[in-house]
Amino acid sequence: MSGLLNTSIARKIAMALSGLFLIIFLTQHFVINFTSVVSPENFNEISHFMGTNALVQFLLQPVLIFGVVFHFVMGFALELKNRQARNAKYAMYKGSANASWVSRNMIISGMVVLAFLGLHFYDFWVPEMVYKYIEFNPEDPARYFPELVHKFESPVRTGIYVVSFALLALHLWHGFQSAFQTMGVNNKYTPAIKTLGKTFAVVIPFGFVFIALFHHFNQF
Amino acid sequence: MNLKLKIWRQKDADSAGKMVDYEISDVSPDMSFLEMLDVLNEDLIAKGDDPVEFDHDCREGICGACSLQINGEPHGPDRGVTTCQLHMRKFKDGDTIYIEPFRAKAFPVVKDLIVDRSSFDRIQQAGGYISVNTSGNTIDANAIPVNKHDADKAFDAATCIGCGACVAACKNASAMLFTSAKVSQFALLPQGQVEATDRVMNMVRQMDLEGFGNCTNTGACEIECPKGISLENIARMNREYLAASLKG
């Protein structure tokens, strides 16, 4: 296979594939988190499985981290190259006349989501790694739900989550259907893909917002 | 009507340019945009100033020579037209109109509003052709059956006039709509299959070498294209590229 990542289209296809991979991850993450609203016991059970299963921990987790890092690094690399392609700016440029704000500002929504991921890793992933692989604490299958609820005590942190997921919604609003276009899918199914993408962009991020607000307000 | 014009003036490719203010009066709403510039130039010449240089040729929307970023949009605010087909009735008395060259690293300014679009020619030369035996055993193109749907799509792609509005409109100065139209017009036809693999690889490589940006699917190019070239062509080019990559 020639042309691996050395042309604009190859880089775009890699970007689309990593984006679609992250969309799949986001879906399963949402489904698991949503169980915390319905059944704390089920949430603990699933989280315990995900936190202790060797396949998840030592294969899927590194693949996921690679996917996230790749998507962001490639996103920045493409943005840099795109900025270089217009070395002199227009005195007047009416971008809104022919393209939506979300499609023109994927780098902004992406950077907010990246900043959020930093907080998210600090909140959940780092303590989890310390708990399991540095302090070697004994596994407690019932610890996950209280840990989750505790994180949403702070109104500031909950607010940051809400804003970040709103930006993720904007990112997905364009990104979902854009990934299919990049993969060469533009046919009679495209209107359905666009509708599915916009539905996904609303349901999943605002589903996460609902979970955060549910646990925040349930504590009072 | 009376108008204020802000026009990019640049002596040559090596000089720095700047926006210069002009005023023009008694503009007829029936004039084309280029005719309005002709009148301005006559005034400038009469005053002993340098006329504003701009590209034009057929003045009927088929050659792709006229360019111009007008009030922030390639070919101005109208849809499906080139600058020569834009009429002054689209503006109001007292309007201020920004007139700039198409901006892209791969479209360097030659003088004033004229840019060098030969990067498009080099993309064409890299693969925008088919091999046909013309020495004694020529096959009539009409003897090769072509599906009507494919013929229509190929014709739609072939209506690209290579004006560069797609590049000018794209926030990334990407040339993927142009390149994909030139790939598609052959990819859809039986005559284009012989060089299909090399064509897409070579044209994309040349497009990258010229310094155009990457497509981020904003769709601005499709909206601003005077010939209505569809984003379907970019998806087709991506498929062609994927297939060619897998063939090796």
Side-chain angles (χ1 to χ4, degrees):
Chain A
M1 186 170 167
S2 62
L4 197 67
L5 294 186
N6 63 1
T7 69
S8 52
I9 295 184
R11 286 190 287 267
K12 276 295 299 167
I13 289 171
M15 193 69 183
L17 282 173
S18 59
L20 289 171
F21 168 71
L22 294 177
I23 282 170
I24 293 167
F25 163 73
L26 205 60
T27 309
Q28 68 88 23
H29 195 339
F30 171 73
V31 170
I32 292 172
N33 280 25
F34 193 72
T35 59
S36 70
V37 172
V38 183
S39 163
E41 293 75 28
N42 282 353
F43 177 74
N44 275 334
E45 207 173 314
I46 298 169
S47 299
H48 175 69
F49 170 78
M50 298 294 277
T52 53
N53 183 277
L55 185 72
V56 174
Q57 287 295 299
F58 303 114
L59 181 66
L60 296 185
Q61 190 165 256
V63 168
L64 171 66
I65 291 170
F66 174 78
V68 170
V69 171
F70 180 88
H71 195 71
F72 281 111
V73 170
M74 187 58 87
F76 282 119
L78 289 173
E79 177 69 17
L80 192 65
K81 192 162 167 48
N82 292 342
R83 282 172 186 260
Q84 289 167 348
R86 176 158 292 132
N87 47 359
K89 288 193 183 310
Y90 288 113
M92 184 190 264
Y93 179 67
K94 209 180 280 180
S96 59
N98 46 43
S100 65
W101 186 92
V102 285
S103 71
R104 288 180 287 119
N105 292 284
M106 291 293 276
I107 192 70
I108 292 175
S109 52
M111 278 164 65
V112 173
V113 174
L114 177 62
F116 164 77
L117 272 182
L119 174 70
H120 196 57
F121 268 49
Y122 173 77
D123 267 358
F124 288 96
W125 192 75
V126 173
E128 186 69 14
M129 293 300 109
V130 170
Y131 185 93
K132 285 191 297 200
Y133 302 121
I134 294 177
E135 293 176 351
F136 294 105
N137 288 313
E139 180 53 21
D140 173 11
R143 71 184 168 90
Y144 298 97
F145 183 76
E147 281 177 6
L148 173 81
V149 172
H150 173 67
K151 292 294 180 193
F152 292 117
E153 272 175 17
S154 158
V156 174
R157 184 179 268 107
T158 307
I160 292 172
Y161 268 62
V162 171
V163 171
S164 303
F165 276 107
L167 267 295
L168 177 65
L170 294 179
H171 201 74
L172 288 167
W173 188 269
H174 175 69
F176 191 104
Q177 59 91 17
S178 178
F180 282 88
Q181 161 76 12
T182 297
M183 294 300 296
V185 181
N186 189 327
N187 51 32
K188 61 182 177 181
Y189 300 112
T190 298
I193 290 169
K194 285 186 177 177
T195 304
L196 177 67
K198 287 175 180 176
T199 307
F200 185 90
V202 171
V203 171
I204 300 293
F206 289 102
F208 275 109
V209 166
F210 169 75
I211 295 166
L213 293 178
F214 179 85
H215 291 305
H216 177 70
F217 288 111
N218 244 7
Q219 304 186 28
F220 303 107
Chain B
M1 52 187 171
N2 300 324
L3 300 166
K4 290 177 185 139
L5 306 176
K6 289 179 177 288
I7 303 179
W8 181 260
R9 301 303 310 262
Q10 186 172 334
K11 191 179 168 200
D12 54 46
D14 300 321
S15 305
K18 62 175 181 179
M19 298 297 286
V20 177
D21 293 349
Y22 296 96
E23 292 197 1
I24 183 165
S25 49
D26 299 327
V27 174
S28 162
D30 296 327
M31 278 180 183
S32 79
F33 199 85
L34 296 187
E35 284 166 346
M36 183 274 292
L37 287 178
D38 290 338
V39 171
L40 174 74
N41 278 344
E42 282 169 10
D43 289 348
L44 291 176
I45 292 166
K47 287 179 196 164
D49 291 340
D50 270 350
V52 178
E53 301 271 353
F54 59 91
D55 265 326
H56 61 100
D57 191 5
C58 74
R59 296 208 179 199
E60 54 186 4
I62 56 171
C63 74
C66 60
S67 51
L68 306 187
Q69 188 83 351
I70 301 164
N71 278 349
E73 289 184 78
H75 300 299
D78 221 353
R79 293 284 175 259
V81 296
T82 52
T83 299
C84 61
Q85 297 170 300
L86 176 67
H87 286 86
M88 296 314 294
R89 66 181 76 100
K90 295 289 171 184
F91 301 91
K92 295 193 300 288
D93 183 44
D95 273 0
T96 298
I97 306 175
Y98 284 72
I99 310 169
E100 301 173 74
F102 283 175
R103 296 288 191 195
K105 185 181 167 194
F107 285 171
V109 173
V110 177
K111 184 176 167 72
D112 293 339
L113 302 171
I114 297 176
V115 296
D116 178 359
R117 285 172 282 184
S118 58
S119 47
F120 270 15
D121 298 337
R122 290 187 289 274
I123 293 172
Q124 282 270 59
Q125 287 157 8
Y129 53 80
I130 56 168
S131 296
V132 175
N133 185 358
T134 55
S135 56
N137 193 26
T138 310
I139 300 170
D140 184 348
N142 292 319
I144 303 169
V146 180
N147 175 301
K148 173 76 166 67
H149 176 76
D150 290 343
D152 286 347
K153 294 270 182 193
F155 188 83
D156 286 347
T159 58
C160 167
I161 52 176
C163 64
C166 46
V167 175
C170 177
K171 77 177 189 69
N172 311 318
S174 168
M176 284 201 187
L177 192 68
F178 165 79
T179 309
S180 69
K182 299 305 172 192
V183 166
S184 289
Q185 68 186 31
F186 295 123
L188 286 155
L189 299 175
Q191 293 93 328
Q193 301 313 306
V194 180
E195 291 104 344
T197 304
D198 289 343
R199 176 181 304 115
V200 67
M201 298 305 273
N202 292 341
M203 291 179 82
V204 168
R205 193 173 297 119
Q206 189 63 39
M207 176 182 77
D208 290 348
L209 279 173
E210 299 291 348
F212 290 107
N214 299 275
C215 172
T216 49
N217 303 322
T218 67
C221 53
E222 182 184 54
I223 301 285
E224 297 290 354
C225 175
K227 296 297 157 187
I229 302 296
S230 164
L231 288 181
E232 275 180 43
N233 292 295
I234 297 183
R236 184 177 298 106
M237 177 171 72
N238 294 352
R239 291 198 299 275
E240 289 280 314
Y241 182 89
L242 265 173
S245 296
L246 293 169
K247 277 184 193 169

